[in-house]
Amino acid sequence: MSLEKILEKYYEIINQEKAECEREVEFLINDDRMDEANIAKIRLNVYDIMKTITKVPYETACKGKEEEQAEILKKEYLRMNERIPGAWKAKLARAKEREEADEILIEETKLEVATHLLEKFLEIIEQG
């Protein structure tokens, strides 16, 4: 599968889930459930971040041989995925040490979305 097709499928998943999340935010705000709406807004931000971190892996993969591009994309995406969500894992650990319930919820929410999208990305790569 071409790099463009891989990213097209991945972005389609992100865009669909993000649209659902946007509808959820709107519903929660209209229902005067601001705390829940704020958590949903965090998920929205993670969708954007996870989409953005594909840019460098894509550019790197484009420079490789065509038959190796998907594997390069996967390797570079995994590297980026360690860096960004890795920072969230560290913040979660600190929040747990300090028993900061709000921060724990925020970091767990970020990691939940990031992990889910990583799984989807790897599924797409394996289909190729």
Side-chain angles (χ1 to χ4, degrees):
M1 183 181 320
S2 72
L3 293 179
E4 291 76 17
K5 191 69 173 169
I6 291 168
L7 289 184
E8 179 183 313
K9 286 183 173 199
Y10 184 57
Y11 291 166
E12 184 177 312
I13 290 167
I14 289 175
N15 292 339
Q16 286 174 351
E17 292 184 12
K18 184 178 174 188
E20 289 172 22
C21 193
E22 287 169 338
R23 287 189 293 274
E24 180 183 3
V25 167
E26 186 177 331
F27 171 79
L28 292 168
I29 289 171
N30 290 335
D31 202 34
D32 203 24
R33 295 162 52 189
M34 293 310 296
D35 288 344
E36 292 171 81
N38 288 334
I39 294 299
K41 287 177 185 178
I42 290 167
R43 287 198 315 271
L44 281 175
N45 288 335
V46 175
Y47 286 116
D48 289 336
I49 291 166
M50 298 307 289
K51 191 173 183 178
T52 300
I53 69 170
T54 60
K55 289 182 179 19
V56 171
Y58 172 76
E59 290 170 3
T60 303
C62 284
K63 296 174 186 173
K65 296 178 183 173
E66 189 171 336
E67 63 274 6
E68 297 172 355
Q69 287 180 342
E71 191 58 35
I72 294 169
L73 178 66
K74 177 181 171 182
K75 178 183 162 201
E76 292 299 314
Y77 182 80
L78 289 172
R79 188 177 61 76
M80 292 293 289
N81 210 282
E82 286 175 18
R83 202 174 101 218
I84 306 288
W88 299 336
K89 289 176 187 174
K91 284 181 75 176
L92 175 59
R94 285 192 303 273
K96 285 182 176 181
E97 286 173 8
R98 297 177 184 148
E99 298 179 4
E100 299 171 330
D102 289 348
E103 286 300 313
I104 291 170
L105 180 59
I106 289 168
E107 299 310 320
E108 286 178 341
T109 300
K110 291 176 185 177
L111 289 168
E112 179 183 303
V113 175
T115 300
H116 166 72
L117 290 176
L118 173 61
E119 290 169 359
K120 292 296 183 184
F121 179 81
L122 293 175
E123 285 175 17
I124 293 166
I125 291 283
E126 296 307 316
Q127 290 171 0

